[in-house]
Amino acid sequence: GSDDIIAGNVSKYIVLPAGYCGQPRKGHLVFDACFESGNLGRVDHVTEFEYDLFIRPDTCNPRFRVWFNFTVENVKESQ
C-alpha cells in the first residue's frame, strides 16, 4: 500500500507500461534519485502521461514530505 515505508531511492528506474515487452523506447521515462538529497522512493505507471510518485520522508523528520529532488530522462516531444 501507499503507507509502506520506502527505504531507498529509485536509481535509473525505467517505467514501462503494464504488459510491455522489449527494449525501452523514447517516451518510456527513466527516473533517478540516486544522488545526495534525492528522495524519490517509488514510481507507478498510470497512463502514458500520468505517474504516481512516492517521495521518501525527510531523514530528520519522517512526518513531512515538503520537497522533492529527482531527475527524469527519455521524454518524447509533447509528453
Side-chain angles (χ1 to χ4, degrees), residues 17-65:
Y20 179 82
C21 295
Q23 293 294 321
R25 297 185 323 231
K26 194 75 166 172
H28 292 157
L29 300 184
V30 179
F31 291 86
D32 187 31
C34 194
F35 49 85
E36 185 177 353
S37 78
N39 66 339
L40 182 62
R42 192 175 98 210
V43 179
D44 293 343
H45 179 266
V46 179
T47 70
E48 180 183 3
F49 299 104
E50 183 179 355
Y51 299 82
D52 286 337
L53 305 177
F54 296 85
I55 305 300
R56 289 187 317 100
D58 187 0
T59 303
C60 296
N61 194 343
R63 293 179 6 167
F64 295 103
R65 291 171 176 89

Side-chain angles (χ1 to χ4, degrees), residues 63-79:
R63 293 179 6 167
F64 295 103
R65 291 171 176 89
V66 295
W67 57 273
F68 54 89
N69 193 6
F70 58 90
T71 64
V72 181
E73 301 172 7
N74 202 37
V75 298
K76 66 181 179 182
E77 188 175 335
S78 78
Q79 185 172 22

